Amino acid sequence: MIGNRNTTAARTLRSLRSLRGTSAPMTYTLIAVCCLIFLLGPASGFTPSYGTGDALAAAQRAYFRRWGVVPADLFDGPVREVLTPATALFIHGSWVHLLGNMLFLFVFGAMTEERMGRVEFTLFYLGCGYLALLGYAAANSSSQQSLVGASGAISAVLGAFLYLFPSARVTSLLPFLLFLPLRFPAWVVLPFWAALQWLALGQAPAGPGVAYLAHLVGFGLGFGYAWVRYGRTTKVRTAPAPAPEGENQP
C-alpha cells in the first residue's frame, strides 16, 4: 500500500512538473512581482487612494514619470534618474500590457532560466532590460514621454531562447490564417517576430506608442549574449514549448 502511495505521489509530481514545464523560480518570481506592483499602482484601478477620473489620470502620469524612463531627464536630470531603466522594468501601463508581457515571460523564460541558472538568468534579465531601455532613451534623448514595461528584458529572453533552443516548436496564431494554431520551430517564429518589430519601427509615428526599438535592442542583446556565453557548446534538444506569436507591448 505504501509503495502504491509513493508511486502515485511521484506520478503526481511528474505531472505537475510536466504542466509547469521547467523549474524556473526566478521567472515565476519576476511575474509575481510585476503583477503585485501593477495591482498596487494606479494603472490597475484597484487602489481607491488614487481617486477616479481626472485625479486618477494625474496620478498615473505622475507614477509613470516617477518610476519610468523619461529620456530627457535620464541624460540631463538628477542622478537618481539613472535608476529608472531598472525600475521601469516592473511597471506596466495597462492590463493588456501586463498580461501580454507576462505571457511571453512565462512561456520563454522558464526554459531559458533552466539553461542559464537562477542567478545568471536574473542578472541577464535585468542587465539586458536596462540596456534595452537605455538604448531607446539614447535614440530619443529629447523625449519627455515616460517609458515603462518589461518588453526590452523579455525581448532579450526571446533572443537568448532563439540561440539556445532553435528547434523548439512554438505554437503560433497567425491572423492571416484565421488565427489557426500552427506549430513552427523557434528559428522560424522568433526571427519573424523580430522582423515585425523592425517593420513596425519604420512605420511608428512620433510620440507615445510601442517602444519597438527597445524590443529590437533587447532581442539583439539576448541573442548576442547567448552566442558569446555558450558558443558552439550549446546543442540542446527540447520538448515542444507552446507559445503565442505576437505581443501586447507598451
Side-chain angles (χ1 to χ4, degrees), residues 62-132:
Y63 183 77
F64 296 146
R65 190 170 188 87
R66 174 65 178 81
W67 300 107
V69 178
V70 180
D73 294 344
L74 179 62
F75 295 107
D76 296 322
V79 175
R80 61 160 293 276
E81 293 294 327
V82 301
L83 297 176
T84 57
T87 59
L89 294 176
F90 298 93
I91 307 298
H92 291 83
S94 67
W95 282 99
V96 173
H97 184 199
L98 173 74
L99 295 177
N101 274 345
M102 295 305 100
L103 175 61
F104 267 65
L105 180 56
F106 175 78
V107 170
F108 292 100
M111 289 175 63
T112 306
E113 179 185 345
E114 187 172 71
R115 178 65 181 88
M116 290 184 174
R118 300 176 187 178
V119 175
E120 182 180 350
F121 175 79
T122 304
L123 294 176
F124 162 81
Y125 179 91
L126 296 175
C128 288
Y130 185 101
L131 292 175

Side-chain angles (χ1 to χ4, degrees), residues 70-242:
V70 180
D73 294 344
L74 179 62
F75 295 107
D76 296 322
V79 175
R80 61 160 293 276
E81 293 294 327
V82 301
L83 297 176
T84 57
T87 59
L89 294 176
F90 298 93
I91 307 298
H92 291 83
S94 67
W95 282 99
V96 173
H97 184 199
L98 173 74
L99 295 177
N101 274 345
M102 295 305 100
L103 175 61
F104 267 65
L105 180 56
F106 175 78
V107 170
F108 292 100
M111 289 175 63
T112 306
E113 179 185 345
E114 187 172 71
R115 178 65 181 88
M116 290 184 174
R118 300 176 187 178
V119 175
E120 182 180 350
F121 175 79
T122 304
L123 294 176
F124 162 81
Y125 179 91
L126 296 175
C128 288
Y130 185 101
L131 292 175
L133 294 179
L134 186 64
Y136 175 90
N140 299 272
S141 59
S142 63
S143 174
Q144 293 286 340
Q145 176 66 30
S146 300
L147 176 66
V148 297
S151 304
I154 295 171
S155 296
V157 172
L158 300 186
F161 187 96
L162 174 60
Y163 184 83
L164 296 172
F165 308 102
S167 60
R169 301 191 71 81
V170 178
T171 299
S172 304
L173 300 177
L174 302 178
F176 51 84
L177 291 178
L178 303 179
F179 293 97
L180 295 175
L182 301 175
R183 297 181 69 78
F184 298 100
W187 65 265
V188 172
V189 174
L190 294 180
F192 178 71
W193 174 87
L196 291 179
Q197 306 306 299
W198 177 265
L199 292 174
L201 175 63
Q203 299 176 3
V210 180
Y212 295 111
L213 180 59
H215 303 174
L216 291 170
V217 171
F219 188 83
L221 287 171
F223 186 88
Y225 175 87
W227 182 24
V228 172
R229 171 69 174 83
Y230 297 98
R232 297 179 179 275
T233 62
T234 301
K235 299 294 182 182
V236 181
R237 294 182 179 274
T238 63

Side-chain angles (χ1 to χ4, degrees), residues 30-56:
L30 289 168
I31 292 173
V33 170
C34 286
C35 291
L36 178 61
I37 290 175
F38 179 79
L39 290 174
L40 295 177
S44 69
F46 281 176
T47 308
S49 61
Y50 289 110
T52 59
D54 292 341
L56 178 60

